[in-house]
């Protein structure tokens, strides 16, 4: 009970904390907003008062003195002293920081009267330049408007704000300008005076609101906690096994809905427990029957599995023998294929041999024809060499005749020379001709000797050629005889090749017939092996199915036993709950 109280108090504290914190935050925000509002209101009020003071002061100033001062610009003039006394009096009476008059001379702003005390050595003399922080302020003053600035910080005078207003004549003409500077300390004084008054009004209101809110919060929280307590007590009794309890609905919010749902849940659990109690006994009897049935089925399944296993073993042996026969048949087929390939190669070789024989025969016949043609050409060349030899001999005889003519010419030349020497001077010309004829005869004799030598060598070469022609004719005749013998041998090879082709064709036919027989045997063996394998496979499948069925029956038996145990446990646990039907 202590722990439950702690938890309840913890929830209550949390609810108070959750509801109280926003109220406190709202109160703090209201106080801070009040502080800021009063501060801003104080500043706005002081700015408005300062602007009103500047306007009123500008209306009360002596306009004739202002215009005279603008005309006679001297600090010794009575107008300057009068206006300075008025501004100083205003400064002392109102507590402002600084008051002064200035005017626009050309494009510059210059001070005309400084409202400082007469003993103040830091006053601004007549004609001191004036500058504005914002260009907008200068433009508004030119248009005759009154301007109040925001808070600014000056290194010398500190934090302050200013109001500027034009000084107008009775006809509305601007004759000067007035400026009043007020320190922020005056705003702080107003703020410090106003803030306690505001707090005296706001704090009681906030306190009343907080008290009312806390009271309402406590009522709501107590109602919520009461509903939570009812739900908690109900759930605790349900956890202890009491399903006859109900939760009272106090609130009509989400907690009330949870209370109603809790009652529905308890009612559904009660009905479920009743159903479990009524069904557990039925489940127990059914599981016992399943155990008895599965034990008988298991025994039958084991007998069937052993029988199927024996059939499968016999089928497997038959299948192995058939497979071995098929393998032997395959090896026989491979041998027959090799024999067939060799027979085919043998046939191809015979065909090729026949083709080579035909080619050799044609080549020998062509060679024999070419040899005969060569023999005819050699005989023609031999006849031509004999004719050439005769012509060479005739040329040699002609050379001998020409040589005799040359000898006679030499003798004639010699005689002419003798006759020319006898003739003396008259025969000198004839002597030259005789001399030339002698030289020509000598050269002709030399040429004839060279021609004779050439003809002799030519005749010898022609005779050698004739001998070669004779030998070539003998060789051609011998080749013709050998080619004839070769042709006869080729004819014999052709006959042998034809016999080889006939034998190869017969072997190929026998091999094809053996292949057909082997294929037929293979088909029968394959059918036998496949049938045996299918039988073995089917038997194994049936055996495996029987084994699986046996395992399933065992599992079912075990599940039935477990189910019996679970039903007993379920009955025992269900009996722990108190339900309305049981009462």
């Amino acid at each position: 009970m202590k722990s439950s109280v702690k938890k309840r108090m913890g929830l209550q504290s949390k609810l108070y904390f959750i509801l109280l914190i926003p109220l406190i935050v709202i109160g703090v925000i209201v106080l801070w907003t009040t502080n800021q509002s009063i501060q801003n209101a104080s500043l706005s009020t002081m700015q408005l008062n300062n602007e009103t003071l500047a306007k009123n002061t500008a209306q009360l100033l002596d306009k004739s003195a202002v215009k005279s001062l603008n005309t006679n610009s001297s600090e010794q003039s009575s107008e300057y002293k009068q206006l300075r006394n008025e501004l100083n009096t205003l400064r002392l009476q109102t507590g402002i920081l600084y008051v002064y008059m200035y005017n626009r001379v050309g494009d510059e702003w210059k001070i005309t009267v400084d409202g400082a005390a007469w003993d103040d050595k830091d006053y601004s003399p007549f004609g001191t330049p004036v500058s504005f922080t914002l260009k907008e302020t200068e433009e508004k003053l030119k248009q005759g408007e009154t301007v109040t600035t925001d808070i600014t910080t000056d290194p010398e005078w500190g934090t302050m704000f200013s109001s500027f207003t034009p000084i107008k004549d009775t006809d509305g003409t601007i004759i000067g300008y007035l400026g009043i500077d007020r320190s922020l300390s005056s705003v702080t004084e107003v703020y410090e005076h106003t803030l306690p008054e505001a707090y005296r009004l706001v704090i009681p209101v906030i306190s009343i609101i907080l008290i009312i809110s806390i009271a309402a919060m406590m009522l709501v929280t107590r109602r919520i906690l009461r509903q939570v307590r009812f739900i908690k007590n109900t759930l605790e009794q349900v956890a202890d096994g009491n399903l006859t309890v109900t939760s009272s609905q106090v609130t009509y919010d989400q907690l009330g809905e949870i209370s109603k749902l809790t009652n529905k849940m308890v009612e559904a659990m009660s009905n479920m427990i009743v159903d479990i109690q009524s069904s557990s006994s039925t489940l127990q009897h059914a599981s016992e029957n399943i155990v008895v049935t599965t034990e008988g089925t298991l025994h039958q399944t084991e007998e069937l599995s052993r029988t199927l296993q024996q059939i499968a073993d016999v089928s497997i042996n038959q299948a192995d023998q058939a497979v071995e026969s098929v393998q032997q048949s395959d090896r026989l087929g491979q041998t027959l294929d090799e024999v067939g390939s060799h027979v085919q190669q043998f046939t191809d070789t015979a065909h090729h041999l026949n083709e080579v024989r035909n080619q050799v025969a044609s080549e020998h016949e062509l060679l024999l024809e070419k040899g005969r043609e060569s023999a005819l050409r050699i005989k023609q060349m031999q006849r031509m060499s004999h004719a050439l030899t005769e012509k060479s001999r005739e040329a040699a005889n002609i050379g001998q005749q020409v040589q005799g003519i040359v000898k006679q010419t030499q003798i004639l030349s010699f005689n002419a020379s003798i006759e020319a020497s006898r003739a003396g001077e008259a025969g000198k010309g004839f002597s030259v001709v005789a001399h030339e004829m002698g030289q020509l005869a000598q050269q002709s004799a030399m040429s004839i000797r060279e021609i004779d030598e050439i003809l002799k060598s030519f005749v010898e070469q022609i005779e050698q050629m004739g001998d070669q022609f004779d030998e070539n004719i003998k060789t051609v005749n011998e080749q013709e005889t050998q080619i004839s013998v070769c042709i006869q041998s080729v004819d014999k090879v052709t006959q042998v090749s034809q016999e080889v082709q006939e034998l190869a064709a017969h072997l190929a036919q026998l091999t094809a017939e053996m292949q057909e027989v082997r294929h037929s045997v293979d088909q029968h063996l394959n059918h036998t092996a496949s049938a045996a394998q299918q039988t073995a496979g089917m038997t194994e499948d049936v055996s495996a199915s029987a084994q699986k069925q046996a395992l399933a029956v065992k599992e079912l038996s075990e599940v039935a036993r477990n189910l019996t145990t679970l039903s007993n446990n379920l009955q025992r646990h269900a009996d722990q709950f108190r339900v309305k039907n049981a009462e």
Side-chain angles (χ1 to χ4, degrees), residues 301-314:
T301 303
E302 290 176 351
E303 291 294 332
L304 178 61
S305 177
R306 284 194 294 271
T307 304
L308 291 175
Q309 185 63 38
Q310 292 175 359
I311 296 172
D313 293 337
V314 174

Side-chain angles (χ1 to χ4, degrees), residues 413-432 434-435:
S413 172
F414 181 70
N415 292 328
S417 297
I418 293 171
E419 290 298 331
S421 62
R422 288 178 181 177
E425 292 295 331
K428 288 183 178 180
F430 189 71
S431 175
V432 173
H435 179 70

Side-chain angles (χ1 to χ4, degrees), residues 233-415:
N233 292 331
T234 301
L235 294 176
E236 286 178 349
Q237 292 184 15
V238 169
D240 292 335
N242 185 10
L243 298 180
T244 60
V245 67
T246 57
S247 177
S248 301
Q249 184 176 1
V250 179
T251 62
Y252 294 93
D253 51 6
Q254 285 81 0
L255 288 175
E257 294 294 329
I258 292 173
S259 178
K260 291 173 65 177
L261 293 175
T262 302
N263 292 332
K264 290 181 180 180
M265 180 187 69
V266 172
E267 184 178 359
M269 290 178 64
S270 177
N271 295 330
M272 183 176 63
I273 293 299
V274 171
D275 293 337
I276 290 173
Q277 288 175 350
S278 62
S279 300
S280 59
S281 59
T282 304
L283 181 62
Q284 184 176 4
H285 292 299
S287 60
E288 292 176 354
N289 293 330
I290 291 172
V291 170
V292 175
T293 304
T294 52
E295 288 178 353
T297 305
L298 179 61
H299 180 70
Q300 295 175 0
T301 303
E302 290 176 351
E303 291 294 332
L304 178 61
S305 177
R306 284 194 294 271
T307 304
L308 291 175
Q309 185 63 38
Q310 292 175 359
I311 296 172
D313 293 337
V314 174
S315 299
I316 289 171
N317 292 329
Q318 291 178 356
D320 292 337
Q321 292 176 359
V323 169
E324 186 177 359
S325 299
V326 170
Q327 292 176 354
Q328 292 177 358
S329 178
D330 289 337
R331 288 195 291 272
L332 178 60
Q334 293 176 359
T335 304
L336 290 176
D337 291 336
E338 291 179 358
V339 172
S341 63
H342 290 308
V343 170
Q344 186 64 34
Q345 292 178 359
F346 195 57
T347 304
D348 295 338
T349 303
H351 283 297
H352 184 65
L353 182 61
N354 192 14
E355 291 176 357
V356 172
R357 176 261 167 196
N358 293 329
Q359 186 176 2
V360 170
S362 61
E363 292 292 336
H364 279 86
E365 290 177 357
L366 181 61
L367 183 60
L368 182 60
E369 185 66 25
K370 294 292 183 182
R372 291 173 181 174
E373 290 178 359
S374 298
L376 291 175
R377 285 196 295 272
I378 291 170
K379 288 180 180 180
Q380 290 177 0
M381 291 175 67
Q382 188 177 16
R383 286 194 296 269
M384 290 173 63
S385 75
H386 289 306
L388 186 59
T389 302
E390 293 296 332
K391 294 295 182 181
S392 298
R393 290 175 181 174
E394 292 177 359
N397 294 328
I398 293 170
Q400 291 177 359
Q401 293 177 3
V402 172
Q403 190 174 6
I405 294 170
V406 168
K407 289 180 178 180
Q408 291 178 1
T409 302
Q410 288 178 349
I411 293 170
L412 182 59
S413 172
F414 181 70
N415 292 328

